[in-house]
Amino acid sequence: MWSMFTHIFSLFIVLFSNIILARLMSPQEFGEFGIVMFFVSVFNIFTDGGLSGALVRKLDKNENDYSTVFTYNLVVSIVLFILISCSSGYISDFYNNQQLKKPIIFAASILIISSFQTIQNVKFLQDLEFKKRSILNLISTLFGVLFGLTLAYVFKMELWALISIPLFTVICQTFLYNLYKGFYFNINFYKKSFKELFGFGVNTTLVSVLNLGFENIYQLVIGKVFSITQVGYFYQAKKMQDVPNNVVNNLAQGVFFSTLSKSQDNIGELIKTYNLISKTFIWLMGLAVLIILIFGKDIILFLLGENWLGSVFYIKLLIVGSMFYTQELINKMIFKVFNKTGKLLKLEIVKKIVQVLTLVLGVYLKRIDYLLYGYIFTNAFSYFLNYYYTSRIINIGNKELYFLGKICLILFSIFIIYYNVTIYLYNNDRSYIQLFGVILVSLYFVISKALGLFNLKSVFAVIKK
């Protein structure tokens, strides 16, 4: 509960600060920020190498394992910092924007700072201290956001204010982690420990790199082929999409993975827990999709203002893709629990091949909408592919697919009603259309309850688990 609710609260803090900053800045600054953080985010995965996840999973870990992971993280983060710094000029030239050079170097320092909290984070997870870890993360987020807002509102620093938020969040987080779990500095590297941990970590790292890289590659493509302003619109939509995505990902990587790992010797209990989790989040994501499709424009107008209406198109398509993406994240837990990360990597490569084809088509035709439709298709294809192989690891059957099919059918039916009715109500007062939307969202609850697809007991059962 602590992990979930504090993470959701942190996301809303960041979203709220993003709303304030969006009213102080233009899509251009957010587009530049999106490009800068792409490189930092992707390289940040390499600093960990998946070793921390392998360390959490290992039952008989010792000091050799800890020191090996710390040494690897520190050395790799320094090397990557130097690499990004040396490449910053080329990146700026690629986008014909010299303002990107210094912010890229400034943001890259996150890599080195993060390496000094890796071991502490592992200890929080292995001790199941989710409450303390979550509170520290929340405090760090508040500190980073307040610092960024001060730079933007008082000093008018714009792009630098945006970059300062993730940087100072990491600084505060690292300080607090070390304060509560103790400072760790042991530069000893053991080949035996590295080989054992890397065997698990290398596949999950490559999967994470492919996943994060291709999730954010749209920013790079849009910025080069179309405009940095369009990247700004996309970035704002992506931040809203990231709320459900990050909640599920955070729970999957932390609470759910730890819980399922402890049940790996009891297949019956594991399947029961997995089904409970997957069905609950299918229903919740269905609700999120319906709300965004109906109220997307109203939400953007209310939160960001008229200058950001260009984000409406992006958020509506991105949230549909999220419905499949979040379920894919839940599927992937099974591969990690049973150490099938090699298969996970192969499936991710297949997904990226499909995604590249859709990207090439969108770039060739210079159609942003084709890029986004390709995103939805890729996520749906990958989910079904992962589900097929998940069912071969454990016998989960087809109940999840039937459940997903029913939710999609309900959503499609409601949206068709909404689309056809609003054609006739379009010239009337907008409030009538909004009221009709509220009725349709309520209908989603009623139909789900009538068909036995959702009840509050299921949500509390997941939280209890």
Side-chain angles (χ1 to χ4, degrees):
M1 276 181 11
W2 275 100
S3 180
M4 179 171 66
F5 288 119
T6 56
H7 187 69
I8 291 173
F9 190 49
S10 294
L11 285 172
F12 277 104
I13 291 173
V14 173
L15 189 62
F16 179 72
S17 68
N18 201 52
I19 292 168
I20 297 174
L21 292 170
R23 294 182 177 273
L24 296 174
M25 304 178 200
S26 70
Q28 175 76 15
E29 283 80 35
F30 277 92
E32 292 170 345
F33 176 66
I35 291 171
V36 169
M37 291 309 297
F38 167 82
F39 295 99
V40 176
S41 299
V42 171
F43 277 81
N44 193 42
I45 296 174
F46 284 106
T47 63
D48 179 71
L51 299 186
S52 61
L55 197 56
V56 171
R57 184 181 181 276
K58 188 178 181 181
L59 299 178
D60 57 341
K61 58 181 76 67
N62 54 47
E63 180 58 27
N64 291 353
D65 298 320
Y66 286 118
S67 63
T68 298
V69 171
F70 175 78
T71 303
Y72 172 87
N73 284 0
L74 181 61
V75 172
V76 173
S77 64
I78 293 173
V79 171
L80 292 178
F81 173 79
I82 295 172
L83 179 61
I84 292 179
S85 299
C86 293
S87 303
S88 60
Y90 297 104
I91 296 170
S92 300
D93 292 338
F94 183 75
Y95 287 99
N96 298 315
N97 190 331
Q98 293 305 312
Q99 294 184 34
L100 296 175
K101 186 174 181 179
K102 290 182 180 179
I104 289 174
I105 298 173
F106 187 73
S109 60
I110 290 174
L111 303 178
I112 298 176
I113 297 169
S114 296
S115 66
F116 286 94
Q117 63 166 259
T118 302
I119 299 303
Q120 291 82 357
N121 186 50
V122 168
K123 290 181 178 180
F124 274 124
L125 291 174
Q126 73 184 23
D127 297 335
L128 300 180
E129 292 183 298
F130 296 112
K131 178 180 178 179
K132 184 179 291 184
R133 177 174 175 265
S134 299
I135 292 174
L136 296 182
N137 289 343
L138 182 60
I139 294 172
S140 302
T141 301
L142 281 169
F143 176 79
V145 165
L146 289 174
F147 191 89
L149 289 175
T150 301
L151 292 182
Y153 192 76
V154 178
F155 298 100
K156 313 295 182 185
M157 295 184 69
E158 298 182 339
L159 178 59
W160 290 100
L162 290 172
I163 293 174
S164 70
I165 292 177
L167 175 61
F168 283 91
T169 296
V170 169
I171 290 173
C172 183
Q173 191 178 63
T174 301
F175 172 77
L176 292 175
Y177 276 24
N178 280 270
L179 183 65
Y180 280 87
K181 281 296 182 182
F183 180 71
Y184 187 93
F185 191 88
N186 187 352
I187 305 180
N188 285 303
F189 189 84
Y190 298 91
K191 290 183 178 179
K192 182 179 178 181
S193 293
F194 180 74
K195 285 183 178 180
E196 184 178 351
L197 296 171
F198 191 70
F200 175 90
V202 64
N203 293 316
T204 56
T205 298
L206 292 175
V207 168
S208 297
V209 169
L210 286 171
N211 195 33
L212 182 62
F214 276 83
E215 277 294 304
N216 293 280
I217 198 171
Y218 295 93
Q219 295 168 198
L220 303 186
V221 172
I222 293 171
K224 182 62 179 177
V225 179
F226 301 98
S227 70
I228 292 183
T229 298
Q230 288 297 323
V231 176
Y233 290 137
F234 176 85
Y235 176 81
Q236 287 292 4
K238 192 78 169 55
K239 290 296 290 184
M240 293 185 183
Q241 180 209 23
D242 282 345
V243 173
N245 284 4
N246 286 343
V247 169
V248 176
N249 188 50
N250 176 265
L251 291 172
Q253 298 296 332
V255 180
F256 294 161
F257 177 58
S258 299
T259 303
L260 292 175
S261 293
K262 293 181 182 296
S263 301
Q264 58 187 290
D265 295 328
N266 187 341
I267 301 299
E269 180 64 21
L270 188 146
I271 293 174
K272 182 179 179 181
T273 303
Y274 169 83
N275 285 331
L276 190 63
I277 293 169
S278 64
K279 288 181 179 180
T280 300
F281 279 93
I282 287 174
W283 188 90
L284 290 173
M285 284 305 300
L287 177 62
V289 168
L290 187 61
I291 290 173
I292 294 298
L293 289 180
I294 293 177
F295 299 108
K297 182 178 179 180
D298 301 293
I299 291 171
I300 294 295
L301 280 171
F302 176 73
L303 297 179
L304 306 178
E306 291 186 4
N307 291 337
W308 292 93
L309 282 176
S311 298
V312 176
F313 166 75
Y314 291 107
I315 186 60
K316 287 188 175 183
L317 294 182
L318 287 175
I319 196 66
V320 174
S322 285
M323 186 169 185
F324 298 101
Y325 175 71
T326 52
Q327 288 308 119
E328 181 186 337
L329 289 174
I330 294 173
N331 283 163
K332 287 177 178 178
M333 290 190 298
I334 302 300
F335 290 89
K336 293 180 181 180
V337 168
F338 292 95
N339 200 15
K340 301 290 184 180
T341 55
K343 175 64 71 175
L344 193 61
L345 176 59
K346 292 176 182 177
L347 294 176
E348 198 65 29
I349 291 173
V350 173
K351 175 182 179 179
K352 299 319 173 191
I353 291 173
V354 174
Q355 192 166 9
V356 166
L357 294 175
T358 63
L359 281 167
V360 170
L361 179 63
V363 170
Y364 177 74
L365 298 175
K366 293 188 177 181
R367 293 281 301 269
I368 293 181
D369 55 341
Y370 282 19
L371 291 178
L372 275 295
Y373 293 138
Y375 172 80
I376 295 173
F377 174 79
T378 301
N379 283 342
F381 169 81
S382 183
Y383 163 68
F384 290 117
L385 187 64
N386 275 273
Y387 186 85
Y388 171 75
Y389 283 99
T390 299
S391 63
R392 296 183 64 176
I393 297 174
I394 58 172
N395 186 23
I396 55 177
N398 296 318
K399 290 183 179 179
E400 182 180 320
L401 294 181
Y402 290 136
F403 189 90
L404 176 63
K406 291 176 183 178
I407 293 296
C408 288
L409 183 60
I410 294 171
L411 292 176
F412 180 76
S413 301
I414 291 176
F415 186 71
I416 288 297
I417 295 171
Y418 174 79
Y419 178 78
N420 283 283
V421 172
T422 51
I423 289 177
Y424 299 101
L425 295 177
Y426 186 78
N427 293 322
N428 295 331
D429 192 321
R430 180 69 187 169
S431 60
Y432 288 108
I433 299 176
Q434 293 170 344
L435 177 60
F436 184 62
V438 171
I439 294 172
L440 291 180
V441 171
S442 302
L443 184 62
Y444 178 75
F445 281 87
V446 173
I447 296 175
S448 300
K449 179 69 175 178
L451 296 178
L453 301 179
F454 174 79
N455 57 66
L456 288 176
K457 290 183 179 179
S458 296
V459 176
F460 288 124
V462 170
I463 294 172
K464 185 179 179 181
K465 277 288 183 184

